[in-house]
């Protein structure tokens, strides 16, 4: 069964450092997403991406965040200057359709900011 | 008011029991509805989509009441492997963002 893969599974960083979280979406999917889940809280939408541009973003997705599809397979989330409150599980998802598509999630990257 | 509201539980039920979860959503323009399942520290996994006509997948039945903005999930003949957090998820019309509830935790006991 095709799946979304994310690396690394756990990233530890110092406050103020930049991190890049990586995702390989399902191969025939065209719509990509990032979500985050702070420990003990609900899953929250960050951003959706289609045709090499952001199609929707939440208020969480501020100037510290950026996304990129650097090649035909990877989809990345960059946090420029991490804060303690960025510590969370970050999930990448992909779908084959936009508003009607089912979103399939990767196993997540646990980001720990010290 | 929360966009998607769920009873957090936990629901502790014996194997073989029938258990029902409810969810309400605040945006009447919401278009798509889902139940996802999340195991501890794992990713959300789609359990089923929810349609106005109601739908069933094996032991799982989902219902949607648009007038009341209410979604339900019924699990029959609970198994130990059903122990997880069940997430009610809503998508707005024309939007791509999924809005998640906080989840209802189910613990099935032997």
């Amino acid at each position: 069964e095709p799946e979304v893969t994310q690396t690394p599974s756990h990233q530890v960083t110092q406050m103020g450092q930049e991190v890049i979280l990586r995702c390989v979406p399902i191969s025939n999917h065209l719509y990509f997403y990032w979500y985050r889940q702070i420990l003990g809280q609900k899953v929250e939408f960050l951003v959706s991406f289609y045709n090499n541009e952001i199609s929707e973003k939440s208020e969480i997705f501020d100037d510290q965040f950026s996304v990129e599809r650097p090649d035909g397979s990877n989809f990345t989330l960059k946090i420029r200057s991490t804060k303690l409150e960025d510590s969370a599980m970050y999930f990448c998802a992909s779908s084959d359709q936009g508003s009607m598509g089912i979103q399939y999630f990767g196993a997540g990257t646990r980001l720990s900011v010290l | 008011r929360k966009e998607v509201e769920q009873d957090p539980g936990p629901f502790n039920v014996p194997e073989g029991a029938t258990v029902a979860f409810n969810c309400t959503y605040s945006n009447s323009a919401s278009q798509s509805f889902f139940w996802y399942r999340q195991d501890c520290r794992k990713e959300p996994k789609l359990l089923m989509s929810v349609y106005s006509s109601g739908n069933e997948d094996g032991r799982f039945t989902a219902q949607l009441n648009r007038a009341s903005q209410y979604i339900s999930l019924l699990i029959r003949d609970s198994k130990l492997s059903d122990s997880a957090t069940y997430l009610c998820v809503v998508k707005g019309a024309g939007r791509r963002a999924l809005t998640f509830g906080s989840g209802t935790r189910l613990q099935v006991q032997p």
Side-chain angles (χ1 to χ4, degrees):
Chain A
E1 184 178 310
E3 58 181 24
V4 176
T5 56
Q6 291 186 243
T7 54
S9 56
H10 190 193
Q11 174 87 50
V12 182
T13 190
Q14 295 289 326
M15 191 169 59
Q17 295 297 303
E18 174 183 287
V19 294
I20 297 176
L21 310 182
R22 302 180 192 279
C23 170
V24 178
I26 294 172
S27 63
N28 63 336
H29 286 186
L30 300 176
Y31 300 84
F32 315 119
Y33 314 85
W34 284 101
Y35 292 80
R36 79 170 186 193
Q37 186 175 30
I38 295 170
L39 188 63
Q41 298 187 24
K42 64 179 182 177
V43 177
E44 300 174 292
F45 170 75
L46 293 178
V47 66
S48 67
F49 190 86
Y50 170 71
N51 199 26
N52 281 321
E53 59 182 31
I54 291 173
S55 48
E56 191 176 341
K57 62 181 181 178
S58 72
E59 62 276 7
I60 302 169
F61 194 87
D62 62 21
D63 292 344
Q64 292 296 314
F65 293 89
S66 63
V67 289
E68 192 179 29
R69 186 153 164 84
D71 54 44
S73 59
N74 289 284
F75 178 51
T76 62
L77 174 70
K78 183 192 291 187
I79 308 175
R80 264 182 268 285
S81 177
T82 49
K83 307 185 197 62
L84 295 175
E85 54 265 37
D86 293 328
S87 295
M89 183 73 97
Y90 288 81
F91 294 109
C92 174
S94 70
S95 66
D96 61 351
Q97 299 177 53
S99 56
M100 299 306 292
I102 299 294
Q103 294 181 26
Y104 295 93
F105 285 74
T109 293
R110 179 165 301 283
L111 177 64
S112 299
V113 182
L114 306 179
Chain B
R1 183 182 170 188
K2 291 181 184 176
E3 288 187 77
V4 180
E5 202 144 1
Q6 296 183 249
D7 181 341
F11 284 58
N12 295 304
V13 302
E15 270 186 291
T18 295
V19 61
F21 304 137
N22 303 317
C23 164
T24 57
Y25 60 95
S26 61
N27 186 351
S28 59
S30 298
Q31 179 183 57
S32 306
F33 309 89
F34 311 92
W35 283 101
Y36 276 74
R37 168 198 168 124
Q38 186 174 33
D39 293 289
C40 189
R41 295 178 178 261
K42 301 284 188 182
E43 74 273 25
K45 289 187 176 175
L46 179 69
L47 183 65
M48 57 199 305
S49 301
V50 188
Y51 305 111
S52 297
S53 53
N55 48 305
E56 188 174 309
D57 183 2
R59 298 182 292 110
F60 299 86
T61 301
Q63 295 277 355
L64 167 64
N65 184 322
R66 284 187 183 271
S68 303
Q69 295 178 207
Y70 173 94
I71 307 161
S72 66
L73 177 68
L74 183 78
I75 305 175
R76 288 181 299 277
D77 189 22
S78 300
K79 312 287 185 197
L80 294 175
S81 56
D82 293 334
S83 298
T85 296
Y86 290 83
L87 307 175
C88 179
V89 182
V90 170
K91 193 193 295 184
R95 295 191 62 207
R96 293 172 190 168
L98 296 178
T99 300
F100 285 78
S102 298
T104 298
R105 195 154 64 89
L106 171 66
Q107 186 65 49
V108 181
Q109 293 161 338

